[in-house]
Amino acid sequence: MSRNTRFRAALLGLLVTLPLPAGAVDAPYEERLYRLGEVLGSLHYLRNLCGETGSLWREQMEALVTAEDPAPEKRARLVASFNRGYRSNSEIHMNCTQAVAAAIARYMKEGEQLTHETAITFGN
C-alpha cells in the first residue's frame, strides 16, 4: 500500500472515529487538526507542483471541516491553517526539485502520523 493510500485511509479513519465537539469547548485534539490542515495545504501545493493534477488534498481538508462541523471561528482557523501551509510553500518552492520531493515525503509521513495518533488517542 502506498504512503498516499495509507495517509488517505488514516485520514478517513480519523474522520469516522473523532467524537463530535461539544459546543464552544475546544476539543482536546484541536491543535492536531490545525497542524493537519497545514500539512494538507502543503501537500496540495507541493504535489501539484510536482505534477499531480486535481484537488485531492483540498478535498481531504473539506472532508475534515465537514466532519468537524465547527463553529464559524474554528472553521476559519482550520481554513487558515490549510491556506498557511499552501502559501508558505508557494513562497519558497517554484519548481519540483529533490528538496520538494523530500518535503512531500516528510509531510506525508507527518500527516499519516497525526491522523493515526489522533484517531487512536481521541477516537470513539
Side-chain angles (χ1 to χ4, degrees):
M1 186 182 300
S2 74
R3 180 170 293 272
N4 187 18
T5 304
R6 284 194 316 265
F7 179 31
R8 289 178 53 209
L11 183 57
L12 178 62
L14 174 66
L15 296 175
V16 171
T17 62
L18 284 178
L20 293 174
V25 176
D26 286 351
Y29 53 83
E30 199 163 292
E31 288 304 316
R32 291 175 187 236
L33 293 185
Y34 296 135
R35 179 60 189 153
L36 183 56
E38 280 187 64
V39 168
L40 291 170
S42 298
L43 287 169
H44 181 64
Y45 176 76
L46 294 173
R47 289 184 63 113
N48 278 282
L49 181 65
C50 287
E52 183 175 282
T53 57
S55 57
L56 171 67
W57 303 104
R58 182 181 2 218
E59 291 166 6
Q60 295 294 319
M61 184 65 190
E62 289 171 3
L64 179 64
V65 171
T66 299
E68 272 298 292
D69 191 24
E73 177 184 306
K74 290 181 184 180
R75 182 185 193 291
R77 286 184 65 194
L78 280 168
V79 170
S81 68
F82 179 90
N83 291 339
R84 184 172 40 259
Y86 185 96
R87 273 194 306 273
S88 65
N89 282 283
S90 70
E91 292 171 359
I92 298 169
H93 304 290
M94 305 301 164
N95 299 301
C96 184
T97 63
Q98 295 266 15
V100 170
I104 289 170
R106 284 191 308 273
Y107 283 125
M108 292 294 290
K109 182 177 180 180
E110 181 182 2
E112 186 178 351
Q113 238 178 328
L114 275 168
T115 56
H116 179 73
E117 290 171 2
T118 303
I120 286 175
T121 305
F122 300 103
N124 289 332

